[in-house]
Amino acid sequence: MRHRVLSTRGELPGDGLARLGSEVELVRWTGAGRPQPAELAELATGVSAILALGNDSVDAELLAAAGPSLRVVGLASMGFDAVDRRAAAERGVVVTHTPGVLAETTADLAFSLVLMARRRLGAALDRLHAGQWDVFRMHDDLGLDVFGATLGLVGYGQIGRAVARRAAGFGMRVLHHDPLAPEDDNLSWAVDFGTLLAESDIVSLHVPLTESTRGLIGADELRAMKPTATVVNTSRGGVVDEAALLAALRDGVIHSAGLDVFEREPRGADVADLVEQSRLVALPHVGSATEATRAAMVDLAVDNILAVLSGRPARTPLPGTAAVPGAAEVAR
């Protein structure tokens, strides 16, 4: 009897979903927008695996609806905060994600936001599109230099290091703070968090969303930065207190910001006050959005699912969790 696998989306980039469907009985959620756990629960009964995007909620109720047959949740995502990892561990369910394949693409996007926010290119584009470029003025669209600036990386994993490599080409001094990477290397100097905030011209965030990182950048941290500082977030929206960031931009506490992620996603008119700030560049979570990278993410998620269902270890289980079903322990 073939395994049944639930995909939280009806279509995904590349041919990974078709490859999965050739090996299992594939059940797809085909609604519009973001699926809700209750909607997925109706499809989940008796499935052996769930293929989900990183912002699709895989909560305890959905895991329970799948029942004892569930062996693996394969995320087509680097982030994993939408999964109830404790509930998965209690059920012996392996949770996997997709590190590595999106690091370079996301680093490209992070550095794009550095350039756009620092140089105020978003405001310049808005002025051009509004037909307001009527005369050349020396004082219009003045930003701050990126070349030779100090870049502070909060989190120094694969993406952080990829950003540091790009910074080398801009002659930047690079600092990083990461308890798991407490030493200097040939790209960056390790410093404490307070030093990084105080000395960096650009603070770029590359940490997962956990209880310890939620609201990591709030009003106090923003005030600890230079008034000429730029904040860039391509990790998870909850790492930054959006209300504090909005106030800091309005009051000139910092120079500018670039966001690819938000506290709640997707977002509509409720985020207008923030994204309409002239010193903010905002994008709709497109850090990994290239054809090749998104397809590779799906491929890796499918590889993980098929490995576990065939009794082999997952290629990329979440750190601190088991790679095979029945032995998972929640990451601490």
Side-chain angles (χ1 to χ4, degrees), residues 79-102:
F80 48 82
D81 47 281
V83 177
D84 189 331
R85 290 175 290 149
R86 186 174 297 278
E90 290 172 351
R91 293 179 170 274
V93 174
V94 178
V95 181
T96 71
H97 65 154
T98 59
V101 296
L102 52 75

Side-chain angles (χ1 to χ4, degrees), residues 111-124 138-150 170 172 199-203 225-232 249 252-257 278-279 281:
F111 215 85
S112 297
L113 285 175
V114 169
L115 292 166
M116 291 190 71
R118 196 79 178 152
R119 294 291 304 274
R120 300 198 62 204
L121 301 183
M138 287 287 286
H139 58 271
D140 283 344
D141 305 321
L142 298 183
L144 298 175
D145 286 321
V146 173
F147 185 85
T150 295
F170 280 74
M172 302 179 82
E199 296 189 8
S200 297
D201 298 304
I202 300 119
V203 175
M225 298 178 192
K226 299 177 181 180
T228 54
T230 298
V231 174
V232 169
L249 291 169
V253 173
I254 62 171
H255 175 266
S256 53
S278 64
R279 292 182 179 270
V281 177

Side-chain angles (χ1 to χ4, degrees), residues 127 131-137 140:
R127 192 164 67 87
Q132 296 173 352
W133 189 32
D134 53 348
V135 65
F136 178 82
R137 300 180 181 90
D140 283 344

